[in-house]
Amino acid sequence: MEWETVIGLEIHVQLATESKIFSGASTTFGAEPNTQACAVDLGLPGVLPVVNEKAIELGVRFGLAIDAEIGMKSAFDRKNYFYPDLPKGYQTTQMDYPIVGKGHVDIELEDGTVKRIGVTRAHLEEDAGKSLHEDFDGQSGIDLNRAGTPLLEIVSEPDIRSAKEAVAYVKKIHSLVQYLDVSDGNMSQGSMRADCNVSIRPKGQEEFGTRTEIKNVNSFKFIEKAINAEIERQIDLIEDGGKVVQETRLYDANKNETRSMRSKEVANDYRYFPCPDLLPIHITQDYVEAVRESLPELPDQKCERFQNELGLSHYDASVISASRAMADFFETVQSKIDDAKLAANWVMGELSRLLNQDDKDITESPVSADQLAEMLTRLKDNTISSKAAKTVIEALWAGEGSVDEIIEKKGLKQVSDTGAIEAIVDEVIANCPQQVEQYVTAEPDKRGKMVGFFVGQVMKASKGAANPGQVNQVLKKKLDALC
């Protein structure tokens, strides 16, 4: 039987506020456990929550960016359940009146087609604390620093049909929240994580199958692997005569499998009721328009501009614009050298290679945009060759000095003196009689490729310092003269 996968995602995004959603406690990451949770976060008697206005604004910013309905009236509810790291016994969230209603996000699939994914809603809520199991032999520790941290939970429609589509959607949301300054999107620090709802059904059937939810997956790679593992598990289960049970599961990356965590609760199990301590929030159309005015250029707009104004290909423009940090880096380099293609090639090429090699984000790059632009300026004015430029960028990466210092210290200045190049060419021709004979006797249309051998020999003899363009010209002239 041929199966179809149905996936819906709930993405939790930590909002970029300095303090928590209902208190003045700090949200700074990495503090000592239990040093950033106040009486409000712990729900102690006699305290009252106050909504962080910044969280409202960030929610509206995101809603406008996905062309969503904005909740002119939004309200908070209590979602009741027991977790050891939920000190109040309930989570303050939004149920009937979310800050963001229906919207959509367009993703680009591998074959270049664009697919629209519906967003059901996005609501504000507080995060719980964190249970710690390491360093507590036979016990668990509780860190409540995250308790009360503001989250925006973005709920998609079940429009996604594969793990790759799911990853494309999560990457698009990740890009959007960073562009909007809604969140830093740091998945390794828990600023963004996804719950993946997965079901399968016979292809052509309209009715959904029973879904399971994989909780708290926090990397693009694991989202893809977890969904594929769950799809495979559900197909094997059904084809062996079993039934999928609605439940919450965890992904075990070491074993590449999902395992049962608990039975899936439904809304009634949580006994939602309006939070008695927080009044509904009413915002005006003027407020919404003011937020709209503050929106930056978004990834799709930037991608289009890079193509129309700078002449980049769709592929180059989409790769660079996917990350705001990379787009900013690229634009700084491009503005200084006025050569978009060259800037794009080096940002996407050597710089990205070094970033991947050391597992760094572009915001952590030891080579600044100014340094890369300076190096590319030396490449454009023929001070150095492309090969030497790779040596320079590696030296910049290692912190060995400025561009000019590295060029001088390593003797990378390109030889453009025609007389010097002719002398090296003559020496190479004299040392390679057999290859020269092959060149002379070859058909004219095949000689072009054969020049490459001699270019390589000249570059080797000059220790990479000869100007490749001039070498080509001189070689061709001298070799053709022998024919």
Side-chain angles (χ1 to χ4, degrees):
M1 181 178 291
E2 195 171 355
W3 298 96
E4 181 180 56
T5 305
V6 178
I7 301 167
L9 296 177
E10 299 167 16
I11 300 177
H12 292 83
V13 173
Q14 179 178 333
L15 297 175
T17 60
E18 293 182 0
S19 57
K20 295 185 177 175
I21 189 167
F22 301 122
S23 80
S26 172
T27 56
T28 303
F29 178 80
E32 285 293 314
N34 298 310
T35 57
Q36 294 185 168
C38 69
V40 174
D41 306 322
L42 303 181
L44 297 183
V47 297
L48 287 173
V50 177
V51 178
N52 186 333
E53 187 180 346
K54 186 71 177 176
I56 303 293
E57 180 198 331
L58 296 178
V60 174
R61 283 172 75 80
F62 178 77
L64 292 172
I66 62 166
D67 199 21
E69 301 163 6
I70 301 300
M72 306 306 283
K73 171 191 172 184
S74 64
F76 287 97
D77 302 273
R78 288 186 180 179
K79 180 181 181 182
N80 298 276
Y81 59 99
F82 174 77
Y83 280 165
D85 51 14
L86 187 67
K88 296 186 292 188
Y90 62 85
Q91 178 188 33
T92 306
T93 181
Q94 295 185 316
M95 178 65 175
D96 296 322
Y97 300 99
I99 189 71
V100 176
K102 284 187 178 299
H104 60 82
V105 169
D106 291 337
I107 60 172
E108 186 170 322
L109 306 182
E110 287 186 321
D111 62 2
T113 58
V114 174
K115 180 173 180 176
R116 176 156 292 184
I117 306 296
V119 172
T120 313
R121 56 186 276 152
H123 57 262
L124 297 167
E125 64 184 24
E126 62 181 342
D127 204 353
K130 185 177 180 183
S131 295
L132 306 171
H133 306 295
E134 295 178 359
D135 303 325
F136 294 92
D137 187 21
Q139 303 176 66
S140 292
I142 302 292
D143 177 8
L144 294 173
N145 281 354
R146 287 194 67 88
T149 296
L151 300 178
L152 186 69
E153 181 175 338
I154 304 161
V155 183
S156 84
E157 294 286 321
D159 293 339
I160 300 166
R161 293 291 173 269
S162 70
K164 287 195 179 299
E165 285 185 18
V167 171
Y169 171 77
V170 178
K171 284 185 174 178
K172 192 63 176 285
I173 296 289
H174 187 258
S175 174
L176 273 175
V177 298
Q178 288 189 323
Y179 265 84
L180 292 162
D181 283 332
V182 162
S183 171
D184 64 16
N186 191 323
M187 298 177 86
S188 65
Q189 293 180 2
S191 297
M192 188 168 161
R193 53 194 192 266
D195 297 342
C196 311
N197 290 282
V198 181
S199 67
I200 60 168
R201 62 184 175 186
K203 195 154 192 174
Q205 176 180 300
E206 288 193 15
E207 184 185 353
F208 290 155
T210 303
R211 66 185 166 90
T212 59
E213 180 184 56
I214 312 167
K215 290 291 287 184
N216 287 333
V217 193
N218 66 348
S219 81
F220 301 129
K221 180 175 76 174
F222 288 161
I223 287 170
E224 182 171 352
K225 294 181 79 167
I227 289 173
N228 280 332
E230 180 58 14
I231 292 170
E232 192 174 332
R233 185 191 74 84
Q234 290 189 18
I235 290 174
D236 288 346
L237 184 63
I238 293 174
E239 291 186 344
D240 288 345
K243 285 186 177 178
V244 175
V245 178
Q246 184 170 328
E247 62 182 351
T248 301
R249 301 180 69 83
L250 284 176
Y251 175 64
D252 185 332
N254 293 324
K255 296 180 179 176
N256 191 33
E257 64 180 24
T258 67
R259 64 170 184 266
S260 183
M261 180 181 174
R262 60 174 184 266
S263 62
K264 175 66 181 173
E265 297 90 346
V266 295
N268 284 343
D269 295 328
Y270 290 120
R271 295 169 286 115
Y272 282 94
F273 65 85
C275 179
D277 292 338
L278 292 163
L279 291 172
I281 298 163
H282 295 269
I283 58 176
T284 65
Q285 194 59 42
D286 286 346
Y287 176 85
V288 172
E289 294 309 317
V291 175
R292 194 192 305 278
E293 286 294 315
S294 72
L295 294 183
E297 184 181 38
L298 296 176
D300 289 349
Q301 298 165 332
K302 200 177 279 287
C303 179
E304 194 172 338
R305 179 168 63 80
F306 285 170
Q307 293 175 77
N308 295 338
E309 294 183 7
L310 302 179
L312 292 184
S313 67
H314 174 73
Y315 175 78
D316 288 354
S318 61
V319 169
I320 290 172
S321 61
S323 155
R324 180 174 177 175
M326 180 175 280
D328 289 346
F329 194 104
F330 160 77
E331 288 204 88
T332 300
V333 176
Q334 143 62 19
S335 68
K336 290 177 180 293
I337 66 170
D338 193 24
D339 190 331
K341 183 59 181 168
L342 185 63
N345 285 348
W346 279 83
V347 171
M348 295 168 58
E350 278 303 297
L351 183 66
S352 292
R353 182 186 69 78
L354 291 166
L355 291 169
N356 291 335
Q357 171 190 289
D358 287 3
D359 194 24
K360 286 183 182 293
D361 184 82
I362 198 164
T363 56
E364 306 166 308
S365 171
V367 179
S368 70
D370 287 344
Q371 286 177 313
L372 181 58
E374 189 181 347
M375 188 201 79
L376 294 180
T377 300
R378 294 289 174 265
L379 181 61
K380 286 188 74 176
D381 67 16
N382 289 323
T383 301
I384 55 173
S385 65
S386 295
K387 185 177 179 185
K390 292 180 181 177
T391 303
V392 174
I393 195 173
E394 286 184 354
L396 287 171
W397 189 269
E400 295 180 20
S402 69
V403 171
D404 286 340
E405 286 170 349
I406 292 166
I407 292 172
E408 193 63 37
K409 192 163 51 181
K410 292 184 177 289
L412 297 173
K413 264 190 183 165
Q414 190 164 235
V415 176
S416 296
D417 177 77
T418 305
I421 291 175
E422 282 188 347
I424 301 173
V425 168
D426 289 340
E427 185 182 337
V428 166
I429 288 176
N431 290 337
C432 304
Q434 187 179 346
Q435 288 79 5
V436 171
E437 179 63 24
Q438 289 171 352
Y439 183 91
V440 169
T441 57
E443 295 294 328
D445 62 339
K446 293 183 178 174
R447 288 174 185 157
K449 288 184 180 175
M450 299 173 77
V451 173
F453 165 77
F454 296 100
V455 171
Q457 295 301 306
V458 173
M459 296 306 292
K460 186 177 176 184
S462 70
K463 297 180 180 175
N467 183 316
Q470 285 182 274
V471 169
N472 258 299
Q473 286 179 8
V474 173
L475 265 171
K476 196 162 187 320
K477 184 178 172 185
K478 285 184 177 284
L479 286 169
D480 286 348
L482 298 173
C483 297

